[in-house]
Amino acid sequence: MKAALFEKAGLVSVKEVEKPHLQEDDDVIIKIVRTCVCGSDLWSYAHGDNKESHSVNDGHEALGIVEEIGTAITSVKPGDFVIVPFTHGCGECDACRSGFDGTCDRHQGSTNWSKGFQSEYVRFHSANWALVKVPGQPSDYTEGMIKSLLTLADVMPTGYHAARCAHVEKGDKVVVIGDGAVGQCAVIAAKMRGAAQIVLMSRHDDRQEMALQSGATAVVAERGEEGIAKVREILGGGADAALECVGTEAAFDQALGVLHNGGRIGYVGVPHYNNRAIGSTFAQNISIAGGSASVTTYDKQILLKAVLDAEIDPGRVFTETYQLADINQAYADMQARKTIKSMVVL
């Protein structure tokens, strides 16, 4: 089968590799019909991140058709149309039952996260609870609906996770830091949860316009102290909640700066810093929560229905579409901000 492989910073190739096969009783083999590039994938694409040449690529979001199931699988059968999340929650541990399947107690660290989805087939491990079945077949849906369903593999649940971790509720004043696909979905999530004011921090006209269409009430292009002052001017004071969707220390500092004392941060940007001292927030009574999104929980309980009922349209984040053979271009265009999020058709 064909699969995308990481070669070096700035280069992803497509090569013939061995098709995956069942290895465990709770494995599922899935034929991929749509995949995409995530903003987190761009860290290694841009910088290498110490990845080995000719190694499995980071792609971790997909829609597909179940081809083969292990003997322990009871939730799906061959031929089913499924959302293929980047997480592998068991659905039974304390974390999963508390709604935190993105950090399942039984699958610690990276064993709960996927990669290698930019390929024709994948082996999805610990699949019985984690996969999300979609009614019907891909041919039953418009391309716009397919795009929205694809966001449910990661970016829409991740945006929702930021809002949930920040306890966004009706009437809140919310600031979203990050205007990529996750930030756009965080705007949608904040609106779903009843926020009264939603400010997106963005410097790009197309992303500002998309967020305003999705429910943002204002945009702020400035950064640093100037950006903080502008946000506070718009909101008439500090925000109740800040949703950090980037993963840099500068973004986290921006989140802290826009909050009033007693405010709340939900952070979902994969951290590329390790020196943030929580004690620095002691004098502000800031609540901080975040991490890997609860994809399966949110999809099954909230988001799949919201998409199928056309209550939300997160698929608009896919502004360009590519074939698998053009995967490097899909990465390059996202890196250059020529597209908000690249969808790949197989």
Side-chain angles (χ1 to χ4, degrees):
M1 71 168 190
K2 291 181 171 60
L5 297 178
F6 176 84
E7 299 294 356
K8 62 181 181 179
L11 180 61
V12 176
S13 66
V14 176
K15 302 291 186 182
E16 282 287 337
V17 301
E18 183 181 356
K19 182 181 174 182
H21 59 274
L22 296 174
Q23 298 179 31
E24 304 291 343
D25 291 346
D26 59 354
D27 284 350
V28 171
I29 304 300
I30 299 167
K31 178 178 173 57
I32 302 300
V33 297
R34 296 289 189 283
T35 185
C36 53
V37 180
C38 183
S40 64
D41 298 340
L42 296 180
W43 288 101
S44 58
Y45 184 76
H47 308 293
D49 275 6
N50 297 317
K51 282 179 65 67
E52 292 185 10
S53 178
H54 209 63
S55 60
V56 175
N57 206 39
D58 290 333
H60 51 262
E61 308 157 84
L63 297 174
I65 303 296
V66 173
E67 181 168 278
E68 190 176 359
I69 62 174
T71 57
I73 299 297
T74 59
S75 59
V76 296
K77 64 183 185 302
D80 282 348
F81 179 30
V82 292
I83 296 163
V84 193
F86 78 93
T87 53
H88 297 261
C90 71
E92 298 174 351
C93 69
D94 290 340
C96 287
R97 286 188 284 111
S98 298
F100 290 98
D101 55 276
T103 46
C104 174
D105 285 334
R106 293 182 179 175
H107 309 138
Q108 295 292 323
S110 61
T111 66
N112 199 53
W113 303 327
S114 298
K115 61 181 179 180
F117 283 11
Q118 292 157 356
S119 58
E120 293 181 319
Y121 293 88
V122 299
R123 178 180 73 91
F124 192 86
H125 67 271
S126 307
N128 200 47
W129 183 80
L131 288 174
V132 180
K133 185 177 176 180
V134 180
Q137 292 293 307
S139 58
D140 297 328
Y141 297 97
T142 65
E143 191 62 19
M145 183 63 78
I146 289 290
K147 289 179 178 180
S148 284
L149 290 169
L150 181 54
T151 69
L152 299 187
D154 181 350
V155 289
M156 187 61 229
T158 296
Y160 194 88
H161 194 59
R164 177 212 178 181
C165 287
H167 296 285
V168 172
E169 57 189 15
K170 186 175 181 180
D172 272 354
K173 298 181 288 186
V174 177
V175 178
V176 177
I177 294 102
D179 63 1
V182 172
Q184 298 291 335
C185 290
V187 169
I188 295 171
K191 183 179 180 182
M192 291 176 74
R193 293 176 66 93
Q197 292 177 273
I198 305 169
V199 179
L200 176 74
M201 303 200 77
S202 169
R203 295 172 172 168
H204 305 94
D205 291 345
D206 58 335
R207 297 167 187 237
Q208 293 175 358
E209 181 60 31
M210 179 175 289
L212 290 169
Q213 292 173 3
S214 296
T217 55
V219 293
V220 169
E222 294 84 356
R223 290 291 184 272
E225 293 301 320
E226 185 180 3
I228 291 168
K230 184 69 172 177
V231 168
R232 288 177 171 270
E233 177 185 345
I234 290 171
L235 296 180
D240 300 303
L243 312 185
E244 193 278 286
C245 304
V246 180
T248 63
E249 189 170 8
F252 199 89
D253 286 340
Q254 196 86 109
L256 286 172
V258 299
L259 293 172
H260 60 66
N261 286 351
R264 311 176 301 272
I265 291 177
Y267 72 98
V268 294
V270 178
H272 279 68
Y273 56 88
N274 58 10
N275 57 349
R276 164 54 60 189
I278 293 178
S280 66
T281 67
F282 185 82
Q284 299 168 271
N285 265 311
I286 300 299
S287 299
I288 302 171
S292 180
S294 309
V295 178
T296 302
T297 293
Y298 300 151
D299 284 356
K300 289 182 176 180
Q301 294 183 2
I302 302 165
L303 298 177
L304 177 58
K305 184 178 187 301
V307 164
L308 293 178
D309 290 348
E311 295 173 359
I312 58 173
D313 182 23
R316 292 188 298 116
V317 300
F318 291 110
T319 52
E320 295 292 342
T321 300
Y322 305 81
Q323 300 297 312
L324 182 60
D326 301 317
I327 189 69
N328 194 67
Q329 192 65 51
Y331 272 81
D333 286 352
M334 272 187 70
Q335 182 73 16
R337 293 185 179 271
K338 294 180 180 179
T339 178
I340 295 176
K341 190 168 178 66
S342 299
M343 184 173 76
V344 179
V345 177
L346 285 89

